[in-house]
Amino acid sequence: MLAKVIRYEYPLEWPDAVSSIVSNLRQASQPDGNPLRLTRALLVLLEVIKELSTARIQRTRTSLQAASLEVLQVLGKIYLDKVQAWMTFFHQGGSDEGGAINSVEQSLLALRVLRRLLIAGWDTPNRSNEVKEFWNILSIHLKDMLSMALQESSSLHENVRRLVEKHLRQIAKLHVNLAKTHPSGFALLPSSVELVSTYWSIAHQFGETYGSRSFTASGLGIGQSSDDIDQSIPITEYLSLRGLLLLRACVKMVFNPAQTFKYQQAQDKEEKAQSRQIIKESILTEGFAQAAMQTLVSRFFVFTQRDLRDWVDQPEEWERREEGEDDTWEFSIRPCAEKLFIELVLNYKEQLVQPLLSVFRNVA
């Protein structure tokens, strides 16, 4: 309720709404602060940022962007402190297990806010030194948390592992959403090329056993929210799916950039051209396009046990998804791979005709 009130009264009627919440966060995050107060302050800020980031009134969005730097500085520090606290505990041990669990939950809340803030708070995130610094930190955390979540020999308790996986899901969401919303900014942020390579490596490895896996997730898109669907997908499949979506966003960035009626400065045009060049020369080479096409066709164009079960249990819903009548393809590997395949074939016709025929002959 508070968040909805702020949406309509910020900034004219309630100009210090965001700064007041940030002030409470500062106080609650002190070493002698109450953990419950910090958690509640993070929940309040999460709902407020959700509301403000979806506001259509330009005044509200402009005011949010004006406050974004302060929020990032305070919230970023909370996130870093909490991640460092629980990572140190799980790597080195300690006696305060309850405090470590609180830190995991609080860093996840902070990350959920930051994911939305980085999208809505800047039109050109690549020009902010603070955003670039935090982006680098998240790249490091992605690798560290991947090793923690995917190691079979890890001693993490199952509940803790799920919380670590939720961190990975939030980071992956941020990467894909920023690539879609601010494509030039994504390409010009540090380590973005390496990020795409990391996700593609996960997807490539996942594809080796994709057709033979037994999936536990229920049918997708039937009475479920996007968050529910995300949480029902195993983490390796989820990250592989984000990799396909991220690669598709890169293809569209180069070959089908979004048109805008907004006036563009010379710097905007220069950054747009530079970002397309970086993605095309560093990621979307002809050799990569051929390798990606072969991987998509040979490993992801197969019906899994879940596909067959959905076909039997929900034939009409299955047919609707197969025809691409909604956006549920974004939550399933094979339909997403088909979309990416089409994008590659349309934009690399001459380079992919013969390799594609060879692949079809091999798998026929």
Side-chain angles (χ1 to χ4, degrees):
M1 179 63 71
L2 176 64
K4 293 188 179 297
V5 172
I6 290 178
R7 174 171 180 165
Y8 290 105
E9 295 195 356
Y10 177 77
L12 294 182
E13 301 296 330
W14 197 350
D16 62 339
V18 175
S19 60
S20 297
I21 299 174
V22 172
S23 177
N24 283 327
L25 275 176
R26 280 199 184 96
Q27 297 174 15
S29 62
Q30 297 301 314
D32 58 345
N34 187 336
L36 181 58
R37 181 184 177 188
L38 176 58
T39 298
R40 289 175 174 173
L42 288 170
L43 284 170
V44 169
L45 183 60
L46 173 61
E47 296 303 320
V48 169
I49 297 299
K50 277 184 180 180
E51 289 292 334
L52 295 182
S53 63
T54 57
R56 296 183 178 181
I57 301 177
Q58 184 60 36
R59 180 183 65 248
T60 302
R61 298 180 65 85
T62 301
S63 300
L64 173 62
Q65 291 179 349
S68 293
L69 180 57
E70 181 185 13
V71 177
L72 174 60
Q73 290 171 340
V74 175
L75 199 57
K77 184 178 185 305
I78 293 174
Y79 168 79
L80 291 175
D81 290 344
K82 297 304 178 181
V83 169
Q84 183 178 4
W86 62 258
M87 277 194 172
T88 300
F89 177 86
F90 293 126
H91 285 310
Q92 301 178 8
S95 58
D96 189 11
E97 183 177 356
I101 298 298
N102 281 336
S103 293
V104 180
E105 294 173 345
Q106 289 169 347
S107 65
L108 178 60
L109 271 176
L111 186 56
R112 291 174 64 190
V113 182
L114 288 164
R115 173 173 69 83
R116 292 169 171 84
L117 182 70
L118 293 179
I119 300 296
W122 285 267
D123 289 331
T124 53
N126 56 292
R127 299 179 192 175
S128 168
N129 291 330
E130 290 78 8
V131 172
K132 289 190 287 187
E133 181 180 359
F134 189 73
W135 185 261
N136 277 329
I137 292 171
L138 284 183
S139 299
I140 297 172
H141 285 180
L142 175 67
K143 297 177 182 178
D144 293 342
M145 293 180 192
L146 269 174
S147 64
M148 294 179 66
L150 301 183
Q151 279 184 356
E152 295 182 0
S153 59
S154 175
S155 59
L156 288 180
H157 188 275
E158 186 60 29
N159 290 336
V160 176
R161 184 190 296 274
R162 281 199 292 268
L163 287 171
V164 174
E165 290 179 358
K166 287 182 178 181
H167 281 74
L168 289 170
R169 294 174 194 268
Q170 291 297 318
I171 294 173
K173 274 186 179 181
L174 170 62
H175 290 154
V176 174
N177 290 344
L178 198 138
K180 291 180 177 179
T181 308
H182 306 298
S184 297
F186 172 83
L188 296 175
L189 282 168
S191 304
S192 290
V193 172
E194 290 79 1
L195 281 174
V196 177
S197 299
T198 298
Y199 281 107
W200 177 248
S201 297
I202 295 172
H204 188 273
Q205 184 176 0
F206 176 78
E208 294 178 358
T209 55
Y210 171 68
S212 60
R213 289 175 179 260
S214 296
F215 296 95
T216 58
S218 59
L220 300 180
I222 305 175
Q224 293 179 291
S225 67
S226 60
D227 287 339
D228 291 336
I229 295 173
D230 283 346
Q231 297 303 321
S232 70
I233 302 176
I235 187 62
T236 51
E237 181 182 358
Y238 182 86
L239 294 176
S240 300
L241 182 57
R242 296 300 112 177
L244 298 180
L245 290 171
L246 191 57
L247 192 55
R248 185 170 185 263
C250 290
V251 174
K252 295 181 72 68
M253 185 190 312
V254 172
F255 296 103
N256 189 26
Q259 303 298 319
T260 178
F261 293 102
K262 182 180 178 181
Y263 177 74
Q264 291 185 316
Q265 303 284 347
Q267 184 178 3
D268 298 325
K269 297 178 181 179
E270 182 180 349
E271 288 181 347
K272 189 173 183 179
Q274 184 182 357
S275 63
R276 293 176 64 185
Q277 182 179 2
I278 290 174
I279 296 299
K280 190 170 185 178
E281 294 180 357
S282 302
I283 300 176
L284 299 178
T285 62
E286 293 183 7
F288 176 81
Q290 293 181 11
M293 177 274 298
Q294 184 173 359
T295 298
L296 294 173
V297 174
S298 61
R299 297 183 178 180
F300 293 128
F301 281 20
V302 294
F303 288 98
T304 64
Q305 295 177 21
R306 185 171 66 205
D307 291 320
L308 299 176
R309 187 182 66 239
D310 290 348
W311 179 42
V312 173
D313 295 343
Q314 299 285 344
E316 294 182 359
E317 180 70 20
W318 186 88
E319 182 180 3
R320 184 174 63 85
R321 292 205 311 268
E322 288 300 303
E323 293 178 353
E325 295 181 3
D326 52 27
D327 291 334
T328 55
W329 62 268
E330 294 188 358
F331 304 102
S332 184
I333 286 283
R334 183 176 51 79
C336 185
E338 291 172 355
K339 295 281 187 179
L340 176 57
F341 170 78
I342 292 173
E343 294 284 350
L344 289 173
V345 170
L346 288 176
N347 294 292
Y348 291 91
K349 294 178 183 177
E350 297 180 359
Q351 296 87 348
L352 295 184
V353 170
Q354 290 304 320
L356 182 58
L357 292 176
S358 298
V359 171
F360 283 152
R361 281 194 293 266
N362 291 335
V363 301

